[in-house]
Amino acid sequence: MAWLDSIRGGVLCALTMMGVAPAAPQDSVAALPDVETILARCTECHGQGRQRKSLRLDNRAAMLRGGRSGPAIVSGNADASLVVQRVSGVGKRMPPIGEALTAAQIGTLRAWIDGGAPRLPHETTDDPRPWAQRPIVRPAVPAGAAQPIDAFVRARLAGEGLTAAARQEASKLLRRVSLDLIGLPPSVVELDAFLADQRPDAYARAVDRLLASPHFGERWASMWLDLARYADTKGYEKDDRRSIWRYRDYVIDAFNRDLPFDQFTIQQIAGDLLPTPTQDELVATAFHRNTMTNDEGGTDDEEFRVAAVIDRVNTTMATWMGTTIGCCQCHDHKYDAFSHQEYFALFAFFDNTEDDDHASERPTVAAPTSEQRDALAVRHKLRTELVAATQAWDAERQAAFARWLQVRNELRPPVAPIEADPARLRALYRDTAPELLPLREAIVAVDAQIAAIKVSTVPILRELPAERARVTRLHRRGSFLDQGDPVTRAVPAALHALPADAPRDRLGLARWLVAPDNPLTARVVANRFWEQLFGAGLVETSDDFGVQGEPPSHPELLDWLASEFVARGWSMKELLKVIVTSETYAQASDVTADGLARDPGNRWLARGPRGRLSAEAVRDQALHVAGLLSEKIGGPSVMPPQPSGLWTIIYSNDAWHTSPGEDRHRRALYTFWRRTSPYPSLMMFDAPSRDMCVVRRLPTNTPLQALVTLNDPVFVEAAIAFATRMQQEGGPDAAARLVFGFRACTGRTPNATELDRLNRLYLDERQRGDGPLADERAWRVLANVLLNLDETLTKA
């Protein structure tokens, strides 16, 4: 290869001129990462976000273009390249602080430039923008697989010298997809039905059934509520309650009816600015009223209003654009092309809402549930009927009175039929019409029904009128007390432009987030859904799509998913269906020694996803398997059992009162979320406090988690109920009951060794006592063991 010979010649020349022995020739492929590593020292001052002398050294195109002093490199001529001159000490030495580059490093740079300065490993085009900001170009699908996802993955596996794993066994695959799509394992009945279905589309039918389940919205709302930083309290030290659960209902419903993601976005960012917004569109704006507010006496309302606006900027950009723009509150971004000035131009979009950190949570809107709306509609109908009946009654009474007067004045006998009925005359006289009483009683009853379920009010976003509009100014060093020049609403110059026809308000910003020329939102969201299913995104740093984030493991696959997401009308269910019906998703998750050595993190996807269940799923699964889980969808937050003494509130007498009836066993999604004291068993399994937006939960593994699933009151209750269920539904003998319990927890039938161990444990526990109580105790121990199996707590 001619350019390789040139590299070698350049290295020899450079080292000879410096009076040092030449290093061994480098392979062309191996040399490029070395160049990238060397240049990484330069990008601290000459990267995308920080460009001294207008010079960038983080990509080839920018180096060829150069800065104020001219091109940094001249392709094919290292001697004429300013970069080589500066690092060699000609003029001002670079880097100016720290150790100078070694002779070998300088030689590597010279060789790369003399060889034509080929693209560096992280560069796929000459476009100087980071990969995530380049337009999405739908890639050609490689040959070799019927499903595009599988084609991309297998092409990458072949390049890595790996092969795909076999398909997961049917029962375990059903458990995997059930946990992923609805957050609950399949019942034994569902397992049997699936295994008995011999149709070629049996799995696709199961996927469709799960996508249509009302529990789908509950599972995926849990993910979204982390991004929305949803909580039932306001935060900070006082942390008073707030009524915002109707927003959670909105999210559940949006996922269940597959509201297109672009509409889902617009409604939450700017539902109040839509023409004649509906109740749901107003409730959706509570996404940004989930920000914390501080009710403590003596606080500055403006300080905490500004803090809420800052949180809205950071959350919007993290949720939809995968950025870490929060750095720019105080200074220009050190790495990404976002400036302090541009941060407050974004801030200006959110700076004109009516909320002002007031204890009343103003502005709010009444948000009755569908049941409450039905009751209100019935009440309206009854009152309409009562008004009509009353008017008819009054007309009849007036007519009768007029005829009575006529009779009295003429001294002639009555001729009207009504006047011949003494009882009717008395009723008319006393205003006690019997036909009105049922209507009045029905209205009293429906009023009581409405009062029993208080119509919730929800804090919403609403723009200030023009005469009260705020002037947004730059906050020097991020301080609202040190404000500079006014700023106008604008988006960062490095990103795509606002749509030409979009208003310069939150509605325009929302449309900008889902605009066809925005390459980030579709990539970020597609990656987030992939992460939820596989445990890691194609971009592992799902919270950072900037230059400091990890590049995608499968860039063509990510772009195909992003373009497919948009092409399918931003359908979240369609995107999920495409992924879970792939053979890549359906692979067995068993880890071989070779696979572990060559791909320990499963980045190349040679096996199926495996990982511990989420905090919500750990709890929900235990209650579901035990037969205790409530099927109720939506509604106010509930208070399941938790250890006493956790709530110590000096500002009020507020306390944790365990919910009665089925509310004791609602899904974890509905648990009352107090920011200063989150539900402990959920926190133990990595749920956040939701003080701020959390893009991804980082899993931990501690002994305390086992103590929760063994001893927490909810899990103890689940074990007791599960023991009863195994005895009642499992079959006539211990072996059948053990198989039933094992299948309910793991989705598969135990092998002979596993069944023998469980049976011996059962017999050992029975021998610890006499009579029926000994048998009941033994089954409770077995239930506890089954609920705590690693396989039970893991999705594999």
Side-chain angles (χ1 to χ4, degrees), residues 95-153:
I97 57 175
E99 295 183 0
L101 266 62
T102 65
Q105 290 173 324
I106 295 172
T108 299
L109 279 179
R110 292 185 65 93
W112 172 63
I113 296 170
D114 282 336
R119 288 177 186 155
L120 298 171
H122 77 281
E123 296 184 293
T124 57
T125 70
D126 284 328
D127 190 331
R129 291 173 294 183
W131 70 267
Q133 294 175 16
R134 297 171 195 156
I136 296 173
V137 178
R138 188 177 178 90
V141 178
Q147 218 257 28
I149 290 175
D150 301 326
F152 286 112
V153 171

Side-chain angles (χ1 to χ4, degrees), residues 23-66:
Q26 285 187 299
D27 177 78
S28 60
V29 176
L32 293 178
D34 292 340
V35 173
E36 199 165 50
T37 301
I38 294 166
L39 291 174
R41 288 192 59 188
C42 308
T43 58
E44 294 180 11
C45 297
H46 300 289
Q48 179 178 352
R50 187 165 183 159
Q51 302 167 31
R52 291 188 179 179
K53 305 290 186 182
S54 301
L55 175 63
R56 286 178 59 179
L57 298 176
D58 58 352
N59 68 81
R60 177 180 181 274
M63 287 186 276
L64 289 168
R65 185 172 59 250

Side-chain angles (χ1 to χ4, degrees), residues 152-478:
F152 286 112
V153 171
R154 289 178 183 179
R156 187 57 189 261
L157 288 175
E160 298 293 331
L162 296 168
T163 56
R167 189 177 178 88
Q168 181 67 286
E169 62 180 272
S171 61
K172 293 178 72 173
L173 180 58
L174 182 65
R175 181 175 185 267
R176 175 191 294 173
V177 75
S178 184
L179 286 165
D180 275 338
L181 293 184
I182 67 172
L184 300 171
S187 68
V188 172
V189 172
E190 289 169 335
L191 284 168
D192 287 338
F194 179 65
L195 295 174
D197 190 346
Q198 298 301 308
R199 290 172 292 185
D201 63 344
Y203 177 70
R205 287 171 176 269
V207 169
D208 288 338
R209 172 178 60 82
L210 293 167
L211 290 171
S213 167
H215 298 305
F216 171 84
E218 293 178 311
R219 180 267 184 264
W220 288 92
S222 291
M223 172 204 72
W224 192 259
L225 295 184
D226 278 2
L227 298 166
R229 63 270 194 244
Y230 172 87
D232 294 296
T233 59
K234 301 177 182 180
Y236 296 111
E237 184 184 11
K238 196 172 182 181
D239 204 20
D240 275 347
R241 295 192 187 205
R242 69 165 26 136
S243 175
I244 202 167
W245 58 267
R246 287 289 288 115
Y247 169 74
R248 179 178 58 207
D249 281 3
Y250 161 83
V251 175
I252 295 169
D253 180 65
F255 275 102
N256 275 338
R257 58 190 174 97
D258 199 18
L259 181 67
F261 187 80
D262 56 344
Q263 296 181 37
F264 187 53
T265 297
I266 291 169
Q267 289 179 10
Q268 291 180 90
I269 299 295
D272 59 307
L273 298 178
L274 292 169
T276 60
T278 65
Q279 177 187 295
D280 278 353
E281 289 166 346
L282 291 175
V283 169
T285 67
F287 174 86
H288 270 324
R289 292 303 308 278
N290 279 306
T291 46
M292 297 192 293
T293 59
N294 197 339
D295 292 349
E296 187 177 349
T299 58
D300 186 330
D301 286 344
E302 178 63 8
E303 176 184 1
F304 290 98
R305 185 197 71 81
V306 168
V309 177
I310 287 169
D311 179 69
R312 288 165 191 165
V313 176
N314 299 344
T315 295
T316 299
M317 295 299 283
T319 298
W320 280 273
M321 305 289 277
T323 72
T324 56
I325 201 169
C327 308
C328 298
Q329 177 189 344
C330 301
H331 52 73
D332 291 351
H333 203 291
K334 298 296 185 185
Y335 304 102
D336 296 327
F338 306 132
S339 70
H340 182 52
Q341 176 83 20
E342 288 175 325
Y343 182 88
F344 282 94
L346 277 174
F347 179 99
F349 282 100
F350 296 99
D351 194 32
N352 202 41
T353 56
E354 286 188 13
D355 56 286
D356 55 1
D357 198 63
H358 193 270
S360 68
E361 297 272 271
R362 65 192 182 199
T364 62
V365 64
T369 65
S370 58
E371 293 177 353
Q372 291 168 336
R373 284 197 297 268
D374 290 345
L376 290 169
V378 169
R379 183 178 187 274
H380 177 73
K381 178 175 179 294
L382 289 172
R383 288 192 65 85
T384 301
E385 291 176 359
L386 178 62
V387 168
T390 302
Q391 290 173 344
W393 176 255
D394 286 342
E396 182 184 0
R397 185 172 57 178
Q398 291 172 9
F401 183 67
R403 286 194 295 271
W404 177 80
L405 285 176
Q406 182 183 7
V407 169
R408 189 188 66 175
N409 293 337
E410 298 177 1
L411 295 172
R412 63 180 177 82
V415 293
I418 190 171
E419 296 174 277
D421 183 353
R424 186 67 171 174
L425 283 172
R426 286 194 296 271
L428 287 169
Y429 178 74
R430 296 173 181 170
D431 193 22
T432 56
E435 57 263 45
L436 300 184
L437 293 178
L439 287 171
R440 288 171 175 167
E441 291 171 355
I443 289 173
V444 170
V446 80
D447 282 345
Q449 178 186 352
I450 293 170
I453 309 175
K454 184 179 179 182
V455 175
S456 176
T457 58
V458 179
I460 61 168
L461 293 180
R462 189 162 62 207
E463 288 288 280
L464 286 168
E467 63 273 14
R468 293 171 52 203
R470 298 185 182 95
V471 175
T472 302
R473 297 177 178 275
L474 186 77
H475 295 185
R476 299 187 183 96
R477 295 174 298 278

